[in-house]
Amino acid sequence: EDQVTQSPEALRLQEGESSSLNCSYTVSGLRGLFWYRQDPGKGPEFLFTLYSAGEEKEKERLKATLTKKESFLHITAPKPEDSATYLCAVQAPQGGSEKLVFGKGTKLTVNP
Amino acid sequence: DAEITQSPRHKITETGRQVTLACHQTWNHNNMFWYRQDLGHGLRLIHYSYGVQDTNKGEVSDGYSVSRSNTEDLPLTLESAASSQTSVYFCASSESSGDPQETQYFGPGTRLLVL
């Protein structure tokens, strides 16, 4: 069964303190790995898609990387507005469907 | 701007009642999805559709149904609401251009409480 595990469950950082969130997965034939940001009371907001090991994508203070077994979301010099829950999801061949399997998320709090 | 909307945003109902949650997207996406989100679980897929008249069961489909009569809408119906269906429900859509890695875009969610 395809599984996605995110760690840590929660992370508290001081403003400017860089860190990384982890998403490990066990799927056969990864088609894509997605990162989303979710603010309280809102729907997930798309951040990145990674397709193959070695790929990296950046957006402002965020950089996502992908290996054959895991992905990291690196946060450089975070600001309080980066506080949110970050969700990881993977897509694997399932009869041609586009179904995603989500992890439980990492709740990030950045203190000023 | 194109968007995806859900209504109502909040709903309180009683056990045994039928409830319908609406999802409307203006992107003209072929693919639409319904998820539920609960503490201790990731987003879990309820039903999905790849086009008009197409519906498929997801991971947690028992007690739910959907119908797709046009491209823009995928209403989710709880046939007889149960307390276990208290949750936050999210609708999502994605384009279908033959590329299976199309990104899913999510609505704002509906918070449902079943008493």
Short mmCIF file of all heavy atoms in Angstrom, two decimals, chain A residues 57-90:
data_model
loop_
_atom_site.label_atom_id
_atom_site.label_comp_id
_atom_site.label_asym_id
_atom_site.label_seq_id
_atom_site.Cartn_x
_atom_site.Cartn_y
_atom_site.Cartn_z
N LYS A 57 13.04 22.66 -6.73
CA LYS A 57 12.26 23.83 -7.11
C LYS A 57 12.28 24.82 -5.97
O LYS A 57 12.27 24.44 -4.81
CB LYS A 57 10.84 23.43 -7.49
CG LYS A 57 10.78 22.69 -8.82
CD LYS A 57 9.38 22.57 -9.35
CE LYS A 57 9.40 21.89 -10.71
NZ LYS A 57 8.02 21.64 -11.22
N GLU A 58 12.26 26.11 -6.32
CA GLU A 58 12.33 27.16 -5.30
C GLU A 58 11.22 28.18 -5.50
O GLU A 58 10.78 28.45 -6.62
CB GLU A 58 13.68 27.90 -5.38
CG GLU A 58 14.86 27.10 -4.95
CD GLU A 58 16.13 27.95 -4.85
OE1 GLU A 58 16.15 28.91 -4.04
OE2 GLU A 58 17.07 27.65 -5.59
N LYS A 59 10.79 28.73 -4.34
CA LYS A 59 9.82 29.80 -4.36
C LYS A 59 10.04 30.62 -3.11
O LYS A 59 9.79 30.15 -2.00
CB LYS A 59 8.39 29.25 -4.39
CG LYS A 59 7.32 30.31 -4.41
CD LYS A 59 5.93 29.65 -4.44
CE LYS A 59 4.83 30.69 -4.46
NZ LYS A 59 3.48 30.06 -4.50
N GLU A 60 10.55 31.82 -3.29
CA GLU A 60 10.85 32.71 -2.18
C GLU A 60 11.76 32.00 -1.18
O GLU A 60 12.87 31.61 -1.53
CB GLU A 60 9.56 33.23 -1.54
CG GLU A 60 8.73 34.07 -2.51
CD GLU A 60 7.45 34.59 -1.88
OE1 GLU A 60 7.12 34.20 -0.74
OE2 GLU A 60 6.77 35.40 -2.52
N ARG A 61 11.34 31.81 0.05
CA ARG A 61 12.19 31.20 1.08
C ARG A 61 12.11 29.68 1.10
O ARG A 61 12.72 29.04 1.95
CB ARG A 61 11.79 31.76 2.44
CG ARG A 61 12.07 33.26 2.58
CD ARG A 61 11.57 33.79 3.91
NE ARG A 61 10.11 33.74 3.99
CZ ARG A 61 9.31 34.63 3.43
NH1 ARG A 61 9.82 35.62 2.73
NH2 ARG A 61 7.99 34.53 3.56
N LEU A 62 11.34 29.10 0.20
CA LEU A 62 11.12 27.67 0.18
C LEU A 62 11.87 27.00 -0.97
O LEU A 62 11.89 27.52 -2.09
CB LEU A 62 9.62 27.35 0.04
CG LEU A 62 8.69 27.89 1.11
CD1 LEU A 62 7.25 27.56 0.77
CD2 LEU A 62 9.05 27.33 2.47
N LYS A 63 12.45 25.84 -0.68
CA LYS A 63 13.06 25.02 -1.71
C LYS A 63 12.71 23.57 -1.46
O LYS A 63 12.92 23.05 -0.35
CB LYS A 63 14.59 25.16 -1.75
CG LYS A 63 15.22 24.35 -2.88
CD LYS A 63 16.68 24.68 -3.09
CE LYS A 63 17.59 23.99 -2.14
NZ LYS A 63 19.03 24.19 -2.49
N ALA A 64 12.17 22.92 -2.48
CA ALA A 64 11.79 21.51 -2.38
C ALA A 64 12.77 20.67 -3.17
O ALA A 64 13.15 21.02 -4.29
CB ALA A 64 10.38 21.30 -2.89
N THR A 65 13.17 19.54 -2.57
CA THR A 65 14.08 18.61 -3.23
C THR A 65 13.48 17.21 -3.18
O THR A 65 12.64 16.91 -2.33
CB THR A 65 15.45 18.61 -2.55
OG1 THR A 65 15.31 18.18 -1.19
CG2 THR A 65 16.08 19.99 -2.58
N LEU A 66 13.95 16.33 -4.07
CA LEU A 66 13.38 14.99 -4.18
C LEU A 66 14.49 13.96 -4.38
O LEU A 66 15.40 14.15 -5.19
CB LEU A 66 12.41 14.92 -5.36
CG LEU A 66 11.71 13.58 -5.59
CD1 LEU A 66 10.79 13.24 -4.42
CD2 LEU A 66 10.92 13.61 -6.90
N THR A 67 14.40 12.87 -3.58
CA THR A 67 15.25 11.70 -3.80
C THR A 67 14.33 10.53 -4.12
O THR A 67 13.11 10.70 -4.23
CB THR A 67 16.09 11.36 -2.56
OG1 THR A 67 15.23 10.82 -1.54
CG2 THR A 67 16.80 12.59 -2.03
N LYS A 68 14.89 9.34 -4.23
CA LYS A 68 14.06 8.18 -4.59
C LYS A 68 13.13 7.74 -3.46
O LYS A 68 12.18 7.00 -3.70
CB LYS A 68 14.96 7.02 -5.01
CG LYS A 68 15.63 7.24 -6.35
CD LYS A 68 16.41 6.01 -6.79
CE LYS A 68 17.03 6.23 -8.17
NZ LYS A 68 17.80 5.04 -8.63
N LYS A 69 13.41 8.20 -2.24
CA LYS A 69 12.60 7.74 -1.12
C LYS A 69 11.97 8.87 -0.31
O LYS A 69 11.11 8.61 0.54
CB LYS A 69 13.47 6.91 -0.17
CG LYS A 69 13.91 5.59 -0.77
CD LYS A 69 12.74 4.68 -1.01
CE LYS A 69 13.20 3.33 -1.55
NZ LYS A 69 12.06 2.46 -1.90
N GLU A 70 12.42 10.12 -0.54
CA GLU A 70 11.89 11.20 0.28
C GLU A 70 12.04 12.55 -0.40
O GLU A 70 12.80 12.70 -1.36
CB GLU A 70 12.58 11.22 1.65
CG GLU A 70 14.09 11.39 1.60
CD GLU A 70 14.75 11.14 2.95
OE1 GLU A 70 14.04 11.03 3.98
OE2 GLU A 70 15.99 11.06 2.99
N SER A 71 11.33 13.50 0.16
CA SER A 71 11.43 14.88 -0.30
C SER A 71 11.63 15.76 0.92
O SER A 71 11.14 15.45 2.02
CB SER A 71 10.15 15.30 -1.03
OG SER A 71 10.19 16.66 -1.40
N PHE A 72 12.36 16.85 0.72
CA PHE A 72 12.56 17.82 1.78
C PHE A 72 12.03 19.17 1.32
O PHE A 72 12.17 19.56 0.15
CB PHE A 72 14.06 17.96 2.11
CG PHE A 72 14.64 16.74 2.78
CD1 PHE A 72 15.27 15.76 2.03
CD2 PHE A 72 14.55 16.59 4.15
CE1 PHE A 72 15.80 14.64 2.64
CE2 PHE A 72 15.08 15.46 4.77
CZ PHE A 72 15.71 14.49 4.01
N LEU A 73 11.43 19.86 2.28
CA LEU A 73 11.04 21.25 2.05
C LEU A 73 11.92 22.09 2.96
O LEU A 73 11.76 22.08 4.18
CB LEU A 73 9.56 21.46 2.35
CG LEU A 73 9.01 22.86 2.04
CD1 LEU A 73 9.06 23.13 0.54
CD2 LEU A 73 7.57 22.99 2.55
N HIS A 74 12.88 22.79 2.34
CA HIS A 74 13.82 23.61 3.09
C HIS A 74 13.26 25.02 3.22
O HIS A 74 12.81 25.60 2.22
CB HIS A 74 15.18 23.65 2.38
CG HIS A 74 15.74 22.30 2.07
ND1 HIS A 74 16.44 21.54 3.00
CD2 HIS A 74 15.67 21.55 0.95
CE1 HIS A 74 16.80 20.40 2.45
NE2 HIS A 74 16.35 20.36 1.21
N ILE A 75 13.30 25.54 4.44
CA ILE A 75 12.81 26.90 4.68
C ILE A 75 13.99 27.73 5.16
O ILE A 75 14.55 27.47 6.24
CB ILE A 75 11.68 26.91 5.70
CG1 ILE A 75 10.56 25.97 5.23
CG2 ILE A 75 11.15 28.31 5.91
CD1 ILE A 75 9.44 25.81 6.21
N THR A 76 14.34 28.73 4.35
CA THR A 76 15.51 29.57 4.66
C THR A 76 15.05 30.89 5.25
O THR A 76 14.19 31.56 4.69
CB THR A 76 16.32 29.83 3.38
OG1 THR A 76 16.72 28.57 2.83
CG2 THR A 76 17.55 30.67 3.69
N ALA A 77 15.61 31.22 6.41
CA ALA A 77 15.30 32.48 7.09
C ALA A 77 13.79 32.72 7.14
O ALA A 77 13.29 33.72 6.61
CB ALA A 77 16.02 33.64 6.42
N PRO A 78 13.05 31.81 7.77
CA PRO A 78 11.59 31.94 7.77
C PRO A 78 11.10 33.19 8.48
O PRO A 78 11.76 33.72 9.39
CB PRO A 78 11.12 30.67 8.50
CG PRO A 78 12.27 30.31 9.37
CD PRO A 78 13.49 30.67 8.58
N LYS A 79 9.90 33.62 8.06
CA LYS A 79 9.22 34.75 8.67
C LYS A 79 7.92 34.25 9.30
O LYS A 79 7.43 33.18 8.93
CB LYS A 79 8.93 35.82 7.62
CG LYS A 79 10.17 36.40 6.97
CD LYS A 79 9.80 37.48 5.98
CE LYS A 79 11.06 38.11 5.38
NZ LYS A 79 10.72 39.21 4.42
N PRO A 80 7.36 35.02 10.22
CA PRO A 80 6.10 34.58 10.86
C PRO A 80 5.00 34.23 9.85
O PRO A 80 4.19 33.32 10.11
CB PRO A 80 5.71 35.79 11.72
CG PRO A 80 7.01 36.41 12.08
CD PRO A 80 7.88 36.24 10.86
N GLU A 81 4.97 34.89 8.72
CA GLU A 81 3.93 34.60 7.72
C GLU A 81 4.13 33.24 7.03
O GLU A 81 3.26 32.79 6.28
CB GLU A 81 3.86 35.71 6.66
CG GLU A 81 5.17 36.04 6.00
CD GLU A 81 5.82 37.27 6.60
OE1 GLU A 81 5.82 37.39 7.86
OE2 GLU A 81 6.35 38.10 5.84
N ASP A 82 5.24 32.59 7.29
CA ASP A 82 5.45 31.23 6.78
C ASP A 82 4.77 30.19 7.67
O ASP A 82 4.74 29.00 7.32
CB ASP A 82 6.93 30.91 6.66
CG ASP A 82 7.64 31.77 5.63
OD1 ASP A 82 7.05 32.02 4.57
OD2 ASP A 82 8.79 32.18 5.89
N SER A 83 4.24 30.62 8.79
CA SER A 83 3.54 29.70 9.69
C SER A 83 2.31 29.13 8.98
O SER A 83 1.48 29.86 8.46
CB SER A 83 3.10 30.43 10.96
OG SER A 83 4.22 30.88 11.69
N ALA A 84 2.23 27.81 8.95
CA ALA A 84 1.14 27.10 8.26
C ALA A 84 1.38 25.61 8.44
O ALA A 84 2.40 25.20 9.00
CB ALA A 84 1.11 27.44 6.77
N THR A 85 0.45 24.82 7.96
CA THR A 85 0.67 23.38 7.88
C THR A 85 1.08 23.06 6.45
O THR A 85 0.43 23.49 5.50
CB THR A 85 -0.60 22.59 8.26
OG1 THR A 85 -0.90 22.84 9.63
CG2 THR A 85 -0.38 21.09 8.07
N TYR A 86 2.17 22.30 6.31
CA TYR A 86 2.68 21.95 4.99
C TYR A 86 2.35 20.48 4.72
O TYR A 86 2.70 19.60 5.51
CB TYR A 86 4.17 22.23 4.92
CG TYR A 86 4.45 23.71 4.93
CD1 TYR A 86 4.56 24.40 6.13
CD2 TYR A 86 4.57 24.44 3.74
CE1 TYR A 86 4.78 25.77 6.15
CE2 TYR A 86 4.79 25.80 3.75
CZ TYR A 86 4.89 26.47 4.96
OH TYR A 86 5.09 27.83 4.98
N LEU A 87 1.69 20.25 3.60
CA LEU A 87 1.23 18.92 3.22
C LEU A 87 2.03 18.40 2.05
O LEU A 87 2.34 19.13 1.11
CB LEU A 87 -0.25 18.95 2.83
CG LEU A 87 -1.24 19.51 3.84
CD1 LEU A 87 -2.64 19.57 3.23
CD2 LEU A 87 -1.25 18.67 5.11
N CYS A 88 2.33 17.12 2.11
CA CYS A 88 3.01 16.43 1.02
C CYS A 88 2.05 15.38 0.46
O CYS A 88 1.29 14.76 1.22
CB CYS A 88 4.28 15.78 1.59
SG CYS A 88 5.12 14.64 0.48
N ALA A 89 2.06 15.18 -0.84
CA ALA A 89 1.21 14.17 -1.47
C ALA A 89 1.97 13.53 -2.62
O ALA A 89 2.76 14.19 -3.29
CB ALA A 89 -0.08 14.79 -1.97
N VAL A 90 1.70 12.24 -2.85
CA VAL A 90 2.35 11.55 -3.95
C VAL A 90 1.31 10.98 -4.89
O VAL A 90 0.19 10.65 -4.49
CB VAL A 90 3.28 10.42 -3.46
CG1 VAL A 90 4.38 10.99 -2.59
CG2 VAL A 90 2.51 9.34 -2.74
#
